[in-house]
Amino acid sequence: MKNASRFTMGAIAALFLAASPALAYEAADVKDGGSLSGTITGGPGKAGTIKVTKNDDVCGKMVADESSKVKDNKIEGAVVTIQGIAKGKKADTKPAVIDNAQCVFVPHVQAAMVGSKIDIKNSDPILHNSHAYIGGKITTFNVALPNKGQKVTKPLKKAGLMNVKCDAGHTWMKAWIVVHDSPYYAVTDAKGSFKIDNVPPGKYKVKVWHETLGETEKEVTIAAKGAAKLDAALKK
Amino acid sequence: MSKKILAGGSLGALGLAILVSILFSTPAHTQEPAKKAAVDQTATGEGKNIYDKYCAWCHGEKGAGDGPGATYQIPRPRDFTSGAYKFRFTPSGDPPLDEDIFKSVAEGFPGTSMPPWKHALTEKQMWAVTHYIKTFSDAFKDAKPKKIEIAKQISPSKESIEKGAKLYKDSKCWECHGDEGRGDGPSAKDLKDDWGNPIRAADLTQPWTYRGGSTHLDIFRNFTTGLNGTPMPSYADTNSDEDRWHLANYVRSMAPEKDPSVATLLSSAPVKGPIPDDPESAAWKGAREGFLPFMPQIVEEPRHFTPTVTAAFVRSLYNDDEIAFLIRWSDPTESKEGTAVDAFALQFPAREGEAGTKPYFLNGDEENPVMVWLWKHGTAGAVDLLGKGLKATGPNPKPGTFTKTVASFNKGEYKLLVKYSIKDRPQGAVSFAPGGFIPVALQVWDGGNGEEGSKKGVTTWTWFTLEKPTPVSVYLYTVLAVVGAVVAQGWIVRRVRRS
Ligand SMILES: [Cu+2]
């Protein structure tokens, strides 16, 4: 009786695990994969600096404000994600990286796949305290990195928008990690452009998000071996 | 006494009683998790009934920590919808074990409004409510929280504590908790919890205020898991198991082994010759120290629900000419400029004839005024005020003389020494006669927390006495008594032998 109930519990747990989003994605060979590329535009940008109020001997007096990097109307650091792909190319097995360097998070914005890992590093000889939230307010990890050269690896367990702050008095330190349910994501470069390849042919919803300049959703059709274009303008 | 005053007084006394009972209830010691009872795990079962009846008032119908009883609670009741729990045996960012929630329900949290429910509910009922609480958050849906491993405990030897002290420095614990642990570190100012509310770094010298218990294991666990929902991070990946035990041993050593008990009587000891100004002098070190916790001033507008300073430690010495008080308290920020400065006040009845009665505890009233000795940081010294109510306190028309005020702020601790001249006291003022009993009450302001005017921490009255100098006759009587006893004994022994 006891064993039977234990077995049932195990089966239920297994079901639960199978249904959890981390394991929902299936890696497979992509036949006739197409690509999606384009440019994200919008603005206005802001090329400001933020005053450093603590540890300025290490951080410098000012750090760059990376919250809206725009050049010629082209947005850097927008995240493009293709929605609803449950089976496709193999995800990158290397952990994502976020470094505390000169009192800013590097990179400021990135995307990663749910179920993968992230290395949180400290390149500064001072305390940083990387505190990550998912969905704006729920702590997903909170690790102290008191010394230079330290590295902590944490799993990215849930899909969603993560923001990272530093609780060591560096109120200006901010970073964003879009944790996506498939490896079909990209972050725009300094020219506002992105490219996602090896996409199974089909019709998809595509989300474009930027931390301060807004977000939008578009529909695209990617033909077999095709090269689809998506240019989107963000509005606040 | 008017009705209002009575109401205010009893409300204050009630508040203090509650505060004291909260502060000094048995702390929630970490222990082996209770065995799970078989219960109905559905949302509509017994758990919901119990929750709606006992928990919803504070934690809200939907578990968002927003019940009607939550309004003035500091800390706020837990919001169960995010699944973030501070005290758990699971890694940083993970939801708690069922046993963790059960323990919180059963043991409550010292220093908060959360009582231990084990006295009111059965184990089965507590398990039912544990399962019901979990239904408020999605965090439990796809999570299988795993218990962290507790490495073998390292005993708190001198060597281990020394190692811990070095780790406290290297791991930058002081950034928030301060060099001596009083929550006064350089990063302590801007701390916020997950809900955006300001939050203070724990004063490690006052373990009776640790919410999650103050055993070595409790502290080790907090280093390992971090406190979800707060800035306290996990050190599991940057400090080894042994290091975290050394740290726990060091942190626990910052505080007295036994929590102080609330003083019911403060006393002043007589000294021959001048009273020393140096708090480190032998006379002061030898003086008995009384511990008095503060409660928020919530009786009169503007009220203040979140005073910083939790308690003061009071010592007193006197001679024929002067009476002196040496008071110390923790305050994470030093504020001496602007409108809100750090301050401290002692209250006594204003008139000698009423020295044996307790006036209204918030600065007295028209019938029973009080003498308020107010020290404000950044001023020349203490001043003597006359209080006839919180809004009717001003300069004493016949002020007494303070012969000395010495204040210091060091690593999150104030030390204030005030000397009042008994000899030059105004006519009719309290005489501080040895042997008598005088009520005393304290008030404190943390300028860094915006405390000024009626926004402050307060105590109700406590009796204060000046110990009589031991007269020579006492020694004589003692000697006579001893000699007498010996003689009597000898006589009895002889009689017994004879018979
Ligand atoms: Cu930092």
Side-chain angles (χ1 to χ4, degrees):
Chain A
M1 185 66 191
K2 229 179 193 175
N3 278 337
S5 75
R6 207 173 274 167
F7 174 78
T8 319
M9 290 287 283
I12 291 168
L15 271 175
F16 246 111
L17 286 172
S20 77
L23 293 178
Y25 185 79
E26 191 187 330
D29 282 337
V30 179
K31 251 194 176 169
D32 303 329
S35 71
L36 177 70
S37 62
T39 305
I40 308 300
T41 53
K46 184 171 76 181
T49 51
I50 308 169
K51 196 169 180 266
V52 165
T53 49
K54 185 173 177 260
N55 299 116
D56 59 359
D57 50 335
V58 170
C59 312
K61 301 270 176 242
M62 296 282 180
V63 294
D65 181 353
E66 296 181 273
S67 64
S68 49
K69 288 166 96 173
V70 179
K71 203 180 165 194
D72 302 331
N73 209 36
K74 292 177 178 99
I75 301 174
E76 179 181 348
V79 180
V80 182
T81 49
I82 304 178
Q83 306 297 305
I85 304 184
K87 190 172 171 181
K89 68 178 175 184
K90 241 182 107 200
D92 201 345
T93 47
K94 264 194 302 180
V97 174
I98 186 163
D99 193 4
N100 291 266
Q102 299 254 278
C103 304
V104 292
F105 288 115
V106 182
H108 175 70
V109 55
Q110 63 182 307
M113 188 171 154
V114 70
S116 68
K117 288 186 168 148
I118 187 161
D119 287 342
I120 308 137
K121 302 204 297 198
N122 185 4
S123 299
D124 293 336
I126 51 169
L127 171 73
H128 287 299
N129 187 161
S130 303
H131 192 162
Y133 304 80
I134 194 140
K137 75 167 196 183
I138 302 170
T139 295
T140 175
F141 61 76
N142 182 10
V143 292
L145 298 152
N147 294 300
K148 189 174 175 165
Q150 278 173 328
K151 183 181 93 174
V152 171
T153 305
K154 285 279 163 192
L156 297 167
K157 283 193 232 167
K158 270 195 180 170
L161 177 61
M162 267 172 64
N163 66 306
V164 191
K165 292 191 215 169
C166 179
D167 282 334
H170 306 138
T171 47
W172 63 88
M173 289 181 75
K174 280 178 186 129
W176 300 91
I177 305 166
V178 175
V179 183
H180 194 44
D181 59 8
S182 77
Y184 293 100
Y185 55 78
V187 182
T188 58
D189 61 18
K191 289 175 183 156
S193 60
F194 72 93
K195 187 175 181 188
I196 302 171
D197 58 17
N198 230 349
V199 189
K203 195 172 161 189
Y204 300 106
K205 280 189 174 137
V206 176
K207 267 192 188 160
V208 183
W209 169 91
H210 185 273
E211 60 172 295
T212 56
L213 301 172
E215 56 189 317
T216 185
E217 195 173 279
K218 300 264 174 189
E219 226 161 65
V220 294
T221 302
I222 300 170
K225 292 184 182 170
K229 287 275 165 216
L230 176 86
D231 294 327
L234 291 184
K235 254 194 210 151
K236 265 194 262 190
Chain B
M1 219 187 265
S2 77
K3 230 178 188 172
K4 177 185 143 235
I5 287 159
L6 269 173
S10 55
L11 179 60
L14 181 71
L16 182 71
I18 292 169
L19 182 91
V20 167
S21 69
I22 289 168
L23 275 173
F24 297 93
S25 56
T26 330
H29 289 303
T30 302
Q31 39 185 239
E32 281 302 302
K35 285 217 174 61
K36 262 190 227 194
V39 290
D40 173 13
Q41 295 197 15
T42 62
T44 48
E46 195 186 5
K48 180 174 164 49
N49 291 335
I50 296 163
Y51 181 89
D52 289 347
K53 198 167 164 192
Y54 298 111
C55 319
W57 174 255
C58 292
H59 292 283
E61 218 179 308
K62 298 256 156 44
D66 59 352
T71 319
Y72 295 119
Q73 282 179 24
I74 302 289
R76 307 270 306 170
R78 179 81 345 190
D79 169 0
F80 297 125
T81 61
S82 78
Y85 288 70
K86 279 157 83 175
F87 305 108
R88 330 163 309 284
F89 277 96
T90 62
S92 172
D94 278 9
L97 305 171
D98 292 354
E99 287 78 6
D100 294 326
I101 304 177
F102 178 88
K103 196 193 137 206
S104 307
V105 174
E107 306 289 339
F109 292 110
T112 79
S113 306
M114 176 71 181
W117 286 98
K118 62 183 174 191
H119 309 298
L121 298 175
T122 65
E123 203 154 288
K124 193 159 164 280
Q125 287 175 315
M126 290 189 287
W127 276 116
V129 85
T130 297
H131 290 298
Y132 183 63
I133 288 167
K134 286 170 66 184
T135 65
F136 291 127
S137 173
D138 290 342
F140 295 98
K141 266 185 192 149
D142 46 8
K144 280 255 148 224
K146 251 180 78 184
K147 191 173 184 221
I148 54 156
E149 279 184 36
I150 301 294
K152 197 173 170 292
Q153 183 160 4
I154 293 172
S155 68
S157 62
K158 194 168 161 260
E159 193 199 349
S160 169
I161 289 169
E162 271 165 20
K163 279 185 185 156
K166 188 173 181 303
L167 287 161
Y168 184 87
K169 223 172 157 190
D170 293 347
S171 299
K172 320 261 160 73
C173 306
W174 53 268
E175 285 246 2
C176 290
H177 294 283
D179 288 345
E180 290 183 2
R182 293 195 188 89
D184 61 321
S187 293
K189 287 190 294 271
D190 311 307
L191 298 176
K192 293 212 166 70
D193 68 11
D194 278 15
W195 294 267
N197 302 314
I199 187 171
R200 289 180 200 119
D203 180 344
L204 302 176
T205 66
Q206 303 194 353
W208 53 94
T209 64
Y210 297 4
R211 313 271 191 247
S214 59
T215 64
H216 290 84
L217 176 58
D218 292 323
I219 301 168
F220 175 88
R221 176 203 56 205
N222 294 351
F223 287 133
T224 309
T225 65
L227 305 186
N228 282 355
T230 83
M232 174 67 189
S234 160
Y235 281 85
D237 302 287
T238 48
N239 286 92
S240 69
D241 291 338
E242 289 92 64
D243 283 359
R244 277 176 277 127
W245 274 120
H246 295 316
L247 264 172
N249 291 338
Y250 173 63
V251 165
R252 195 60 189 78
S253 78
M254 289 175 143
E257 223 163 281
K258 233 184 123 225
D259 294 347
S261 42
V262 180
T264 46
L265 175 67
L266 296 174
S267 61
S268 186
V271 288
K272 284 214 167 74
I275 301 168
D277 294 339
D278 180 10
E280 305 305 315
S281 59
W284 278 118
K285 290 244 163 197
R288 201 165 68 97
E289 190 169 61
F291 168 76
L292 288 177
F294 288 105
M295 58 176 182
Q297 193 292 106
I298 54 171
V299 179
E300 289 192 33
E301 293 276 2
R303 299 184 172 92
H304 186 50
F305 292 91
T306 54
T308 308
V309 184
T310 57
F313 294 86
V314 182
R315 276 178 272 192
S316 179
L317 295 173
Y318 76 96
N319 60 20
D320 291 342
D321 298 336
E322 294 171 325
I323 182 156
F325 288 87
L326 175 64
I327 301 146
R328 64 184 180 95
W329 69 97
S330 288
D331 178 338
T333 50
E334 181 179 21
S335 329
K336 53 179 165 184
E337 277 155 23
T339 49
V341 296
D342 296 333
F344 200 95
L346 291 134
Q347 283 187 83
F348 302 94
R351 295 192 281 255
E352 172 68 358
E354 290 149 15
T357 54
K358 292 176 173 177
Y360 179 44
F361 79 114
L362 293 175
N363 292 32
D365 57 23
E366 195 65 48
E367 289 164 58
N368 299 79
V370 295
M371 168 166 78
V372 181
W373 296 358
L374 175 69
W375 168 80
K376 271 184 157 180
H377 200 12
T379 60
V383 289
D384 187 9
L385 305 177
L386 185 69
K388 295 180 175 176
L390 268 190
K391 286 174 187 72
T393 301
N396 198 333
K398 289 188 288 177
T401 312
F402 296 99
T403 44
K404 194 96 190 175
T405 306
V406 189
S408 70
F409 179 79
N410 187 31
K411 298 198 190 300
E413 185 178 59
Y414 271 106
K415 278 189 184 142
L416 173 67
L417 177 103
V418 183
K419 282 188 194 173
Y420 175 86
S421 172
I422 301 176
K423 197 177 56 180
D424 300 332
R425 71 178 185 277
Q427 210 191 351
V430 171
S431 66
F432 293 102
F437 289 87
I438 312 157
V440 60
L442 310 177
Q443 304 188 340
V444 69
W445 291 261
D446 171 22
N449 189 31
E451 296 172 18
E452 55 172 321
S454 67
K455 293 164 92 175
K456 59 187 165 188
V458 296
T459 73
T460 51
W461 297 104
T462 301
W463 289 109
F464 169 67
T465 190
L466 285 76
E467 296 163 11
K468 276 186 181 163
T470 321
V472 182
S473 57
V474 168
Y475 296 115
L476 194 64
Y477 287 137
T478 311
V479 170
L480 281 177
V482 170
V483 171
V486 169
V487 170
Q489 206 176 14
W491 181 74
I492 290 166
V493 168
R494 241 177 313 168
R495 285 222 26 175
V496 170
R497 276 191 188 152
R498 256 186 222 164
S499 62

